[in-house]
Amino acid sequence: MSEIKIKLTELSHGGGCGCKIAPALLQKILGDIKEKLPYPDLLVGLDTCDDAAVYRLNDSQAIIATTDFFMPIVDDPFDFGRIAATNALSDVYAMGGTPIMALAIVGMPINKLPIAAIRAILQGGESVCRTAGIPLAGGHSIDSPEPIYGLVAIGIVHPDRLKKNSAAISGDVLILGKGLGVGILAAALKKGALSTAGYAQLIANTTQLNTVGTTLSTINAVHALTDVTGFGLLGHLLEMCRGANLTGELIFKNIPVLSEALPLAEQGYGPGAIERNMESYGCDVQFSAELTDWQRRLLADAQTSGGLLVSVAPEGVDEVLRCFHAAGFEQATVIGEMKPGNARVVVN
């Protein structure tokens, strides 16, 4: 954490992936733009709501392109930069790819933020790119009313190893790589209710690069892959279900939760994005009557730099879990399965 004394979250109306436009409204905005585009080498476009665009260069190489940026989720400038960069690179890993380069997206209220704070944000992002082994090769900046930071992330993948979010198969097992609760921790931070341990857990979780996605792309039993961010676990699983026209069944007691977030969730903490998410896709989610309100809200909590969600054939489960655990994702675990049926999510 840097020594610059400024509360970034007081300069923005939202933070992290909780800034995302609600899923239902986004669908209306995109409209017909989401129709499949007539470019045979465009392997992934807008039509499946996937994590990044993918364009085939040749038989052995495809380029991955994505962009992600948001307003501060924490007050510390360096930590904000780290979180935003980690979150942006996650979309490359979620396609099974390897990042090769990034560009910075910078919007700052230059009349409100000291130069040292802006520099610290950029340094935080650069430190993550260095950890990922890629250059932060340029970018673009503007003077904006609220602080905004993120990356354009460019990656590469073999076309045969590309992992879409729409290729799940009935009978697949669902595995989640990180615990839920980032939005809850961030909401508590903004209200001054987050402990030192809670902040440490928030930073550790949101700055852990999902590099394991590159390894998962080599496993044939892995059929579909995505990362859980602003739409919550329910929203991103529902995108997976719609792409494959299957029902995703979750077992609530198996879903990992960040330990510091659990008591806060029970107390009702959470970002406004939870309500927006539930209003957008709640009609396609069936909850067990035994689940409480806070448990339902937790599943719609907007994650920032959340975990990878994997749809894998039963015979590949042990290998996927070994990959996660070897890479330091201690909470990675089986949370459900994909079944025949209408595109919806069932939570037991």
Side-chain angles (χ1 to χ4, degrees):
M1 186 183 297
S2 70
E3 297 300 321
I4 300 170
K5 302 300 180 183
I6 188 166
K7 286 187 174 293
L8 290 178
T9 56
E10 292 182 354
L11 299 177
S12 60
H13 73 280
C17 288
C19 296
K20 279 189 173 184
I21 294 174
L25 179 56
L26 183 60
Q27 297 286 339
K28 292 179 180 179
I29 292 172
L30 291 175
D32 293 340
I33 297 176
K34 288 185 60 181
E35 291 183 359
K36 190 171 181 63
L37 298 174
Y39 299 94
D41 287 319
L42 183 64
L43 303 181
V44 181
L46 285 166
D47 50 308
T48 58
C49 300
D50 220 317
D51 298 292
V54 183
Y55 191 90
R56 179 171 48 212
L57 300 176
N58 50 55
D59 289 342
S60 61
Q61 293 177 313
I63 197 81
I64 301 171
T66 182
T67 181
D68 213 314
F69 53 90
F70 46 61
M71 291 164 282
I73 188 175
V74 295
D75 291 317
D76 182 81
F78 188 77
D79 285 344
F80 169 43
R82 292 169 65 205
I83 293 168
T86 305
N87 180 76
L89 293 178
S90 181
D91 285 340
V92 174
Y93 296 123
M95 304 304 300
T98 301
I100 58 173
M101 183 177 70
L103 305 173
I105 300 170
V106 183
M108 296 292 155
I110 57 175
N111 61 329
K112 297 178 182 178
L113 272 180
I115 291 176
I118 299 173
R119 184 184 300 119
I121 293 170
L122 271 60
Q123 289 171 337
E126 185 179 14
S127 73
V128 168
C129 290
R130 195 180 312 118
T131 298
I134 64 171
L136 184 54
H140 184 65
S141 61
I142 63 168
D143 182 2
S144 66
E146 298 178 282
I148 297 169
Y149 181 71
L151 299 179
V152 174
I154 306 298
I156 199 163
V157 67
H158 192 292
D160 294 341
R161 291 182 175 178
L162 172 64
K163 301 298 180 181
K164 302 179 182 179
N165 70 350
S166 57
I169 295 175
S170 180
D172 277 358
V173 174
L174 294 169
I175 295 175
L176 181 62
K178 292 183 182 181
L180 301 182
V182 168
I184 291 164
L185 292 175
L189 173 67
K190 198 159 187 176
K191 293 183 178 180
L194 188 63
S195 66
T196 300
Y199 186 81
Q201 191 171 68
L202 170 64
I203 299 302
N205 195 76
T206 54
T207 58
Q208 184 178 22
L209 284 163
N210 280 320
T211 52
V212 69
T214 306
T215 304
L216 295 177
S217 73
T218 66
I219 302 174
N220 291 333
V222 172
H223 296 142
L225 192 61
T226 191
D227 63 345
V228 178
T229 55
F231 299 158
L233 174 59
L234 294 177
H236 291 285
L237 175 55
L238 188 57
E239 288 179 340
M240 190 178 280
C241 293
R242 288 169 175 165
N245 197 27
L246 294 171
T247 294
E249 184 174 293
L250 296 175
I251 304 171
F252 182 84
K253 66 179 182 179
N254 290 357
I255 296 172
V257 182
L258 297 174
S259 59
E260 295 292 327
L262 185 56
L264 294 168
E266 293 172 341
Q267 295 170 47
Y269 284 94
I274 292 178
E275 280 69 36
R276 295 197 299 272
N277 284 341
M278 289 302 293
E279 288 174 4
S280 294
Y281 54 64
C283 59
D284 291 322
V285 179
Q286 178 184 322
F287 292 105
S288 166
E290 298 177 358
L291 293 181
T292 63
D293 182 63
W294 74 263
Q295 290 173 322
R296 299 180 186 202
R297 284 168 49 82
L298 175 66
L299 299 180
D301 182 36
Q303 304 303 289
T304 297
S305 190
L308 294 179
L309 178 62
V310 188
S311 183
V312 55
E315 64 269 21
V317 169
D318 290 344
E319 184 178 4
V320 168
L321 288 175
R322 280 196 300 270
C323 289
F324 269 118
H325 296 156
F329 295 87
E330 299 175 358
Q331 285 194 287
T333 191
V334 172
I335 63 169
E337 62 181 311
M338 300 295 280
K339 293 185 172 182
N342 296 331
R344 61 178 183 143
V345 176
V346 176
V347 188
N348 294 314

